[in-house]
Amino acid sequence: MSPLARWCHRHRLAVVLLWVGLLLALGAGVGAAGNAFGNSPTSQDTDSARATALLQRASDSAAGKSGRIVWQADGAKVTEPAAEQAMTGALEDVADAPGVASVTSPYTPDGRAQVSADGRTAYATVAFDQDVSDAQVDHVKELATDPESQNLRIALNGQAFTVNPEPNAVADAMGIVLAFVVLLFVFRAIWVAALPIITAVVGVGTSAVAVMLLSHVITLSDTTLTLGSLIGLGVGIDYALFIVNRHRANLMAGMSVAESVARSLNTSGRAVVFAGLTVVVALLGMLTLNVGIINGMAIGAAVTVVLTVLAAITLLPALLGMIGPRVLSKSERREAAGQGGQRSSGRAGLWARWAERVQSRPKTLGVVALAVLAALAFPTLSLRLGASDDGNLPTTSTNRQAYDMVADGFGPGFNGPLVLAVQAPGAADKAAAGRLVTALKEVDGVASASAAPLRDGRTVGVISVVPTTSPQSAATSDLIHHLRDDVIPAAEHGTSMKVYVGGVTASNDDFASVLMGKLPIFVLVIAALGFLLLTVAFRSLLIPAVGAVLNILSIGVAFGAIVVVFQFGFGAGLLGLGAAGPIESFVPILVVGIMFGLSMDYQVFLVSRMREEWAHTGDSRRAVRVGQAETGKVIAVAATIMVCVFGSFVFGGMRVISEFGVSLAVAVAVDALLIRMVVVPALMHLCGRANWWLPRRLDRALPHVSVEGPVDEPAHPQRPVREPETAGLAN
């Protein structure tokens, strides 16, 4: 790392220009090619996927998206002349609008079923051409809502009328502003506050345009950019901060700027690279799940982390060279000059005093912290995966209003009907399909069941089943499994008929089931991977074992936070996050990967300093206390910055990103302040020299990795250097 740091310092202007040129070149590529983001959450090995494939092969339709216009009359019926005349005229205008393929009106003989039983609610279905533009859809929205009045409420929903909220730039910028304020308040030097943010923003900006271009090569979700920004800003600012903090300490010790940059990159820079690689490995570990949408998000986030690490070890040294000694405040520069390059003995600071407190009462503090962590993680036992829909949107959304109108007029299950694809090649199979429709009407939890008549020569039919419960209800999920396990096999028995349960509701349920089944295995794999990496880094078995268990506990805290807010609904309304509902299926998987990497970061920065002190003194108690005292401040600041960045994304208007923001913000705060500053040092004090034990055969077999530069083993491990227990320690 030292040669890299010296080169970047000597050629600092060229390095800065190279980063600017890279950003502009990638931006020009995006300007020419655009992006190709898309969503494809359906697994290819599920019942719903087979239903979709069967219906697509049997369909001649080349129609594009469709949407639903829903209206409700207050104190009257929608079939009364005034309402009917107003809506008929609007629907005729919609049918004549450019981009519209067809409109199915409830005011025709074929559309009478589109009026609710009480006559107060009705809906019309609008089918668009495949090449319809956004402007044409917006024009249809205006035409459809034109008759709205005090007595006639109109709302729109469906695929064509659903607009994903744009990322809230103000909320995103607020996280950066808060991070700047925290850094400025703690370090009292404007460049210390600015440099980590500049480095992170450049890294994230470069990765954003790179990911846009990458979307042409692999399938990437449209939330990949926002998720990458969330992770990249958090880790990017923290990584740069660790290097800047070490650089400041070196300058205070009397080093020149060039020497300090090289030493900082050869110590904290190593830890940053190692920490970044653990995050990347954790993210790319999700590829083993073989789920398309997860693969894309993992790759996009990994690209972001790689580029933020690259910015921290190349762009940041160049910027530090340009700033020179101004990275210190004026008072710090005077202090460094006045002490002639010697470290001040200092006074026992806040984190030094806390380290001594943990050392004196490890059992009590450790047990209390573990009890708090267990309580925070307890809601995880109620975790239920699914997919949000219009029912989770704020009540001000037209999609939510249409959802509520349909549920009020036709029943909650009407918002998510099950689509059964029936393959009936013979006459006996068609008769069995008819009997299945009759049997479905008698099933508990089914509000209605109907089949579209099979045209001559067709062997694939469709049965629509409307549940009595909403698409997100656990009862609807139970109904899907009951149909597949009991009702449909009984109908298929003795025939060649094949029936698959599909539709959006079933697809979401299948996707959640697939991921829920893989989640425990993935957590264990990630824990094992963390154990291996920490064993190599710290030449210990106990520290990696404790780290792996505590990483799982911090992930449990993350899950507990989103269950309480999004599934139970506590505080969701105040945060503007809509109604309670299940957790997005892919969120826990990504949280596992991200939190594993972030937890490893703090473990690496904390224990590497302890390991360094152990190597110099052979005193485990001193090593743990010194390591905690000297890294406590920077870990706390880094965690505060991450909480600010992650927390700002909660208010971005995207439910999925808000789930990431809440889970990661809570988990990072708890991980840094409770796990790394209480539980880890408490357990290490209790274990003593056993912390650093590694069988000799295993020690010879493992590769040697120096996280914070070369360290010498203790010269007299059997007679460690001791210090008076009352010795002070600088913060």
Side-chain angles (χ1 to χ4, degrees):
M1 298 296 291
S2 295
L4 174 65
R6 293 190 181 97
W7 190 92
C8 291
H9 179 267
R10 283 198 308 270
H11 304 89
R12 43 191 176 271
L13 180 58
V15 171
V16 172
L17 292 178
L18 281 172
W19 273 98
V20 173
L22 176 63
L23 184 58
L24 292 177
L26 292 174
V30 170
N35 65 72
F37 292 121
N39 294 300
S40 181
T42 305
S43 172
Q44 297 304 306
D45 191 25
T46 62
D47 202 58
S48 58
R50 288 187 284 271
T52 301
L54 181 61
L55 293 176
Q56 286 177 341
R57 288 197 302 268
S59 175
D60 293 331
S61 174
K65 299 178 181 179
S66 64
R68 185 185 284 169
I69 303 170
V70 186
W71 59 96
Q72 193 171 66
D74 291 335
K77 294 185 177 182
V78 295
T79 53
E80 291 186 359
E84 181 173 346
Q85 182 178 2
M87 290 308 304
T88 298
L91 294 178
E92 289 175 352
D93 292 340
V94 169
D96 294 335
V100 175
S102 65
V103 175
T104 305
S105 169
Y107 300 122
T108 62
D110 294 336
R112 290 175 181 174
Q114 297 171 206
V115 179
S116 63
D118 61 7
R120 293 185 58 251
T121 308
Y123 70 90
T125 302
V126 182
F128 289 92
D129 297 329
Q130 278 191 319
D131 57 351
V132 65
S133 66
D134 292 341
Q136 290 171 334
V137 174
D138 291 339
H139 180 56
V140 168
K141 291 179 182 179
E142 295 176 2
L143 295 174
T145 56
D146 185 60
E148 189 168 28
S149 65
Q150 186 175 0
N151 298 322
L152 186 67
R153 295 190 298 130
I154 303 173
L156 312 173
N157 70 351
Q159 184 185 21
F161 296 135
T162 298
V163 178
N164 293 324
E166 295 292 332
N168 190 330
V170 175
D172 298 350
M174 184 57 65
I176 297 176
V177 172
L178 290 175
F180 179 82
V181 171
V182 169
L183 289 169
L184 190 61
F185 176 77
V186 172
F187 294 103
R188 310 291 176 141
I190 192 167
W191 283 113
V192 181
L195 286 177
I197 292 175
I198 293 172
T199 305
V201 168
V202 171
V204 170
T206 305
S207 64
V209 289
V211 167
M212 289 182 188
L213 292 176
L214 189 62
S215 67
H216 292 279
V217 181
I218 61 175
T219 301
L220 295 177
S221 166
D222 52 10
T223 59
T224 302
L225 268 186
T226 309
L227 178 62
S229 298
L230 182 148
I231 299 170
L233 286 175
V235 301
I237 294 174
D238 278 10
Y239 290 165
L241 173 62
F242 285 120
I243 295 174
V244 170
N245 190 61
R246 179 62 68 100
H247 176 62
R248 283 163 45 81
N250 291 338
L251 291 180
M252 290 292 292
M255 292 185 188
S256 66
V257 173
E259 182 185 5
S260 175
V261 168
R263 181 70 63 87
S264 299
L265 229 64
N266 204 36
T267 52
S268 293
R270 285 175 179 257
V272 163
V273 172
F274 185 83
L277 287 177
T278 61
V279 178
V280 171
V281 168
L283 290 170
L284 295 184
M286 298 180 207
L287 299 181
T288 59
L289 298 174
N290 196 28
V291 179
I293 191 172
I294 299 291
N295 293 348
M297 288 185 174
I299 293 173
V303 168
T304 302
V305 174
V306 168
L307 286 172
T308 53
V309 170
L310 190 60
I313 63 175
T314 57
L315 176 62
L316 182 58
L319 294 176
L320 289 173
M322 289 181 170
I323 300 305
R326 286 175 295 172
V327 74
L328 299 175
S329 65
K330 292 182 178 179
S331 60
E332 288 171 332
R333 293 199 294 272
R334 287 194 297 269
E335 181 182 351
Q339 63 191 26
Q342 300 296 318
R343 284 185 182 272
S344 171
S345 60
R347 302 179 305 275
L350 170 64
W351 293 104
R353 292 193 297 271
W354 177 249
E356 292 173 355
R357 176 70 60 86
V358 174
Q359 179 181 352
S360 64
R361 306 180 66 182
K363 290 183 180 179
T364 302
L365 292 175
V367 168
V368 171
L370 286 173
V372 172
L373 291 168
L376 293 174
F378 182 75
T380 301
L381 298 177
S382 302
L383 177 68
R384 186 167 70 87
L385 302 185
S388 61
D389 59 20
D390 291 345
N392 296 116
L393 296 173
T395 53
T396 54
S397 166
T398 183
N399 297 68
R400 170 66 183 277
Q401 292 166 4
Y403 183 98
D404 291 341
M405 288 182 193
V406 169
D408 181 49
F410 299 91
F414 203 84
N415 281 299
L418 306 179
V419 179
L420 276 60
V422 183
Q423 193 169 26
D429 301 322
K430 292 179 174 63
R435 291 193 297 271
L436 175 59
V437 174
T438 303
L440 288 169
K441 294 178 180 179
E442 304 300 323
V443 175
D444 290 339
V446 174
S448 65
S450 59
L454 274 175
R455 290 183 290 172
D456 293 339
R458 295 287 182 174
T459 60
V460 177
V462 177
I463 299 176
S464 178
V465 177
V466 177
T468 57
T469 50
S470 68
Q472 297 180 0
S473 171
T476 301
S477 179
D478 293 338
L479 174 63
I480 293 171
H481 295 294
H482 176 52
L483 295 181
R484 289 172 174 168
D485 298 339
D486 305 311
V487 179
I488 291 175
E492 292 175 336
H493 182 70
T495 71
S496 57
M497 177 181 70
K498 294 294 182 183
V499 181
Y500 306 102
V501 181
V504 175
T505 301
S507 295
N508 291 336
D509 187 75
D510 286 344
F511 189 56
S513 298
V514 168
L515 293 184
M516 196 66 178
K518 295 181 177 183
L519 182 59
I521 298 175
F522 184 58
V523 171
L524 292 177
V525 169
I526 285 292
L529 180 61
F531 177 85
L532 178 61
L533 289 173
L534 290 179
T535 299
V536 172
F538 300 127
R539 323 304 294 180
S540 164
L541 290 180
L542 186 60
I543 291 174
V546 170
V549 173
L550 293 178
N551 283 356
I552 293 176
L553 193 54
S554 68
I555 290 168
V557 171
F559 289 177
I562 54 176
V563 166
V564 169
V565 175
F566 294 91
Q567 190 173 314
F568 296 166
F570 292 110
L574 295 176
L575 295 174
L577 301 177
I583 306 304
E584 291 291 337
S585 303
F586 54 84
V587 167
I589 295 288
L590 286 165
V591 167
V592 168
I594 296 167
M595 272 311 302
F596 163 79
L598 299 183
S599 298
M600 286 280 288
D601 286 357
Y602 293 139
Q603 186 80 343
V604 166
F605 290 124
L606 173 66
V607 180
S608 61
R609 182 63 187 92
M610 295 176 179
R611 166 85 181 160
E612 181 182 348
E613 192 68 21
W614 161 254
H616 290 156
T617 66
D619 185 340
S620 180
R621 289 167 61 83
R622 173 186 167 87
V624 173
R625 188 176 70 251
V626 169
Q628 181 183 0
E630 294 194 359
T631 59
K633 179 179 179 180
V634 71
I635 288 177
V637 173
T640 303
I641 290 170
M642 276 202 181
V643 170
C644 292
V645 173
F646 293 158
S648 68
F649 281 81
V650 174
F651 305 97
M654 301 174 68
R655 183 180 178 90
V656 173
I657 299 301
S658 297
E659 290 179 7
F660 282 116
V662 168
S663 60
L664 295 177
V666 172
V668 163
V670 170
D671 188 275
L673 299 179
L674 277 182
I675 293 180
R676 308 306 156 188
M677 290 294 105
V678 181
V679 179
V680 169
L683 291 176
M684 292 182 70
H685 279 303
L686 293 173
C687 295
R689 298 176 60 82
N691 290 314
W692 315 104
W693 177 78
L694 186 70
R696 291 188 177 181
R697 288 186 179 181
L698 183 59
D699 186 44
R700 288 194 295 267
L702 291 176
H704 284 263
V705 176
S706 178
V707 177
E708 281 216 357
V711 237
D712 299 324
E713 296 300 322
H716 305 288
Q718 302 302 321
R719 292 186 300 168
V721 177
R722 300 288 182 183
E723 66 165 358
E725 294 300 321
T726 56
L729 184 65
N731 186 14

